[in-house]
């Protein structure tokens, strides 16, 4: 049986929903996180989550994640990060950063309306900080904050 989905809304809303569903379904089918399609990168927030916090973020039967998604009206799921494709630490700032912190990270994508995405990202970051105190500060000290890398010359 092939699942079917009927999407409603404007053309842009239907396109975005179809892209999110396609990425999510591919991840569920292969049991591997999928990379976000390039057009969705600007439509979503990417949050680095320590591997040790992922089970807490998901919760029993994904209850914790579903609660965050419901309260912020977002879709959140694990995605394939750059580190999953590039294992060469010399060329990979995130890999070097993670090695320095001795904390392996995974990435989750937060998708939805702009304000909802920010609310979802804040809730995920708050959960991370409550279980891994100082994680954000370590990343900030190393020059990585969210999706942007700061320029050391500034």
């Amino acid at each position: 049986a092939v699942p079917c989905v009927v999407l409603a809304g404007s053309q842009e809303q239907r396109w975005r929903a179809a892209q999110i569903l396609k990425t999510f379904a591919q991840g569920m089918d292969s049991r591997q996180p999928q990379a976000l399609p390039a057009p969705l990168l600007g439509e979503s927030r990417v949050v680095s989550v320590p591997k040790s916090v992922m089970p807490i973020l998901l919760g029993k039967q994904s209850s914790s994640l579903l609660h965050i998604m419901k309260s912020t009206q977002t879709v959140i799921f694990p995605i394939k990060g750059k580190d999953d494709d590039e294992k060469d630490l010399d060329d990979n700032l995130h890999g070097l950063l993670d090695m320095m912190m001795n904390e392996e990270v995974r990435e989750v994508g937060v998708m939805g309306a702009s304000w909802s995405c920010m609310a979802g990202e804040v809730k995920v970051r708050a959960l991370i900080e409550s279980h891994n105190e100082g994680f954000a500060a370590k990343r900030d000290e190393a020059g990585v904050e969210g999706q942007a890398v700061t320029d050391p010359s500034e």
Side-chain angles (χ1 to χ4, degrees), residues 128-153:
I128 293 168
E129 195 63 25
S130 69
H131 292 287
N132 193 338
E133 193 172 321
F135 177 76
K138 290 178 197 173
R139 292 184 74 79
D140 289 344
E141 287 172 10
V144 177
E145 182 180 330
Q147 296 172 316
V149 177
T150 57
D151 185 353
S153 64

Side-chain angles (χ1 to χ4, degrees), residues 57-58 61-71 74:
L57 174 64
L58 294 174
Q61 296 180 343
S62 299
S63 60
S64 177
L65 187 62
L66 290 172
H67 176 72
I68 292 172
M69 291 190 317
K70 185 176 180 180
S71 68
T74 56

Side-chain angles (χ1 to χ4, degrees), residues 108-119:
V108 295
V110 182
M111 285 150 262
S114 296
W115 287 106
S116 297
C117 278
M118 286 192 285

Side-chain angles (χ1 to χ4, degrees), residues 34-54:
Q34 299 294 308
L36 284 177
L40 278 184
L41 289 175
E43 304 274 336
S44 63
R45 307 288 295 180
V46 177
V47 182
S48 295
V49 179
K51 189 175 180 183
S52 60
V53 178
M54 279 301 281

Side-chain angles (χ1 to χ4, degrees), residues 7 11-12 88 92 97-98 110 134 141 143 152:
L7 301 172
Q11 182 178 10
E12 180 182 341
D88 185 9
N92 191 347
L97 176 65
D98 298 337
V110 182
E141 287 172 10

